[in-house]
Amino acid sequence: MAGRVGEWAGAAPRNLAPWASHPDASKGRRHEEQNTTARGPRDAFQRDRDRIIHSISFRRLRHKTQVFLAPDGDHFRVRLTHSLEVAQIGRTVARALSLNEDLTEALCLAHDIGHPPFGHAGEEALEDALRGAGGFDHNGHTLRALTRLDCPYPMWPGLNLSWETLEGLAKHNGPVFEPGWALAAEDADFPLDLTAHSSLEAQVAAIADDIAYDNHDIDDGIRAELLTHDQVMAVPLIARGWDQVRARFPDIASERLVGELVRSQIGAMVNDLIEETRARLADAKVECADDIRGAGRCLSGFSEEMRDAERELKRFMYANLYRHPRQLAAADAARVVVAGLFAAYATDPATMPPEWRDRLPDSEPDRSRHIADFIAGMTDRYAVSRYREVVGEIELPEGF
């Protein structure tokens, strides 16, 4: 592995726990970098975070689906704002546990970069299109985008992120025993120890993602009038939180308390996560970051009570929001757009932009994967625009 050439050693992070990820102990980057004083006092993980923020892939998240496809409303969350909210939660937990906040933030900001347009509906369409070419997985595509496709620097392909950031993105949801082709290719080039657990920072980032969308999707669902107050009160976790909020603000109109409910629930989940993680760390008797990876289980997580309550909340959200008839109709249209684009480009590559057409491989599966790379990088609105240009007009349902 390449060394830490070019990293700045003078910007020591705040006091870290012995099991936290330390930039001075990084396993380096795939491509060696030359030192330059123009980069300022940033360590390896701070540089990773900044490279992600400055990347085109990150900027595209502004117009990629979070819950609502191609949302017209200015107040709904998209992948970009969701990622920022995840990062805020992740930093809070990392600081409380004396973990590396910069690495945690980098992982939170980048975790959704591999999502194609239209979220999971778009991913399903690309999975079908690539069925004979290895399939499509947004997590593997995150690494592919950051190591091969987004190339802002002249010295090497990708962003040349540190091993710890790539490892955390590869397996923040746990060890990977059967990686898809995209993740397997990255692991072959820069081994990421896929079958071990990830750093505690990556584990925190994964749960911060859950906390963010569990609660913010309630806010968006009510705002979109796909969820009602009475519906969400059927979830015990929400009902308990609402009773507490109402008791604190008895004279405030209910519609003004939804934000406070969401805020309070995030706080309750964060506090539970911190307390449970501390208890697991004490029980496991970890002494260093390698002990985290070799623990054989996740050491960051909810208590049993909160885990069960959170799972019940997720079941409610799937039944009442994510699978709402309006959402399903929009998802059907999204799959038509993505599938139609793939078929059009596969049939007539001349319809692709020159920078993609000129690099189109001659043989499979690389040819299909190249087309999928182009489509996966699209925003929702760009995908619709390209569909109308190369396929034809499409009637989009309400909510699109």
Side-chain angles (χ1 to χ4, degrees):
M1 295 183 182
R4 297 188 300 277
V5 176
E7 306 298 358
W8 178 270
R14 59 188 297 276
N15 293 333
L16 297 177
W19 45 81
S21 297
H22 200 292
D24 288 348
S26 171
K27 295 183 180 181
R29 303 178 186 275
R30 180 181 172 191
H31 306 285
E32 184 172 319
E33 299 183 16
Q34 298 303 312
N35 191 16
T36 171
T37 56
R39 293 175 184 168
R42 295 174 298 162
D43 64 38
F45 304 147
Q46 292 169 335
R47 185 164 293 119
D48 283 357
R49 175 203 58 209
D50 295 348
R51 288 179 181 181
I52 290 164
I53 289 173
H54 287 278
S55 70
I56 289 176
S57 294
F58 183 70
R59 293 199 294 273
R60 285 182 184 143
L61 296 179
R62 177 188 175 196
H63 292 293
K64 287 197 174 188
T65 291
Q66 177 57 28
V67 175
F68 301 105
L69 303 180
D72 291 328
D74 292 336
H75 299 160
F76 294 113
R77 289 167 176 86
V78 293
R79 289 281 170 193
L80 179 62
T81 56
H82 165 71
S83 297
L84 294 173
E85 291 170 340
V86 175
Q88 178 265 319
I89 294 170
R91 283 197 314 269
T92 298
V93 177
R95 178 169 296 187
L97 296 173
S98 297
L99 303 178
N100 192 293
E101 295 177 43
D102 300 310
L103 176 58
T104 305
E105 183 176 17
L107 294 169
C108 291
L109 292 172
H111 79 284
D112 270 353
I113 275 176
H115 272 282
F118 314 119
H120 294 292
E123 182 171 9
E124 291 167 3
L126 282 182
E127 169 67 20
D128 288 341
L130 289 182
R131 196 165 299 280
F136 181 88
D137 167 62
H138 78 265
N139 198 50
H141 194 74
T142 292
L143 272 78
R144 184 170 172 82
L146 295 174
T147 61
R148 299 172 188 256
L149 302 178
D150 200 334
C151 299
Y153 308 110
M155 300 81 74
W156 12 257
L159 305 188
N160 202 27
L161 301 176
S162 70
W163 184 91
E164 288 74 17
T165 297
L166 295 176
E167 178 233 19
L169 292 171
K171 54 184 183 178
H172 62 278
N173 287 323
V176 181
F177 296 98
E178 297 181 359
W181 65 269
L183 182 52
E186 303 311 320
D187 183 58
D189 286 345
F190 196 34
L192 298 172
D193 195 16
L194 293 179
T195 58
H197 280 270
S198 61
S199 66
L200 203 58
E201 286 84 357
Q203 295 179 33
V204 165
I207 303 172
D209 182 27
D210 286 344
I211 294 173
Y213 75 71
D214 279 344
N215 292 288
H216 294 147
D217 289 359
I218 295 172
D219 185 21
D220 278 353
I222 292 175
R223 187 182 302 277
E225 299 182 346
L226 299 188
L227 297 176
T228 67
H229 181 274
D230 289 344
Q231 275 183 301
V232 299
M233 287 305 113
V235 182
L237 179 65
I238 299 177
R240 289 195 298 272
W242 180 257
D243 288 343
Q244 294 168 1
V245 167
R246 174 50 75 196
R248 286 160 46 211
F249 301 101
D251 300 323
I252 303 297
S254 295
E255 58 269 19
R256 288 195 57 202
L257 293 181
V258 173
E260 184 63 23
L261 169 66
V262 170
R263 174 173 174 264
S264 297
Q265 283 201 166
I266 290 174
M269 286 184 168
V270 165
N271 288 335
D272 181 273
L273 172 60
I274 292 169
E275 292 175 11
E276 176 65 17
T277 301
R278 284 174 174 160
R280 293 186 191 183
L281 288 168
D283 182 63
K285 298 180 173 60
V286 297
E287 297 180 358
C288 63
D290 285 342
D291 289 345
I292 299 291
R293 294 184 172 90
R297 64 188 180 104
C298 286
L299 295 180
S300 184
F302 292 130
S303 66
E304 184 176 354
E305 180 182 1
M306 181 61 76
R307 181 199 64 199
D308 292 344
E310 194 259 352
R311 286 176 178 173
E312 187 172 11
L313 171 59
K314 272 188 169 62
R315 286 192 292 269
F316 168 85
M317 295 297 283
Y318 272 95
N320 294 279
L321 179 61
Y322 308 139
R323 293 173 183 155
H324 187 282
R326 200 173 94 186
Q327 292 288 84
L328 294 178
D332 287 343
R335 283 187 283 269
V336 169
V337 171
V338 173
L341 284 172
F342 188 92
Y345 295 140
T347 301
D348 185 8
T351 56
M352 298 179 74
E355 63 271 23
W356 285 91
R357 181 182 65 234
D358 294 346
R359 294 184 287 110
L360 185 66
D362 293 327
S363 59
E364 295 290 358
D366 293 336
R367 189 177 180 88
S368 290
R369 292 172 179 177
H370 182 81
I371 294 171
D373 286 341
F374 176 44
I375 296 173
M378 293 180 179
T379 62
D380 294 13
R381 63 182 186 177
Y382 183 69
V384 172
S385 173
R386 293 295 296 178
Y387 182 93
R388 286 173 169 153
E389 179 181 338
V390 302
V391 180
E393 192 55 54
I394 183 172
E395 184 176 347
L396 300 175
E398 180 186 3
F400 222 102

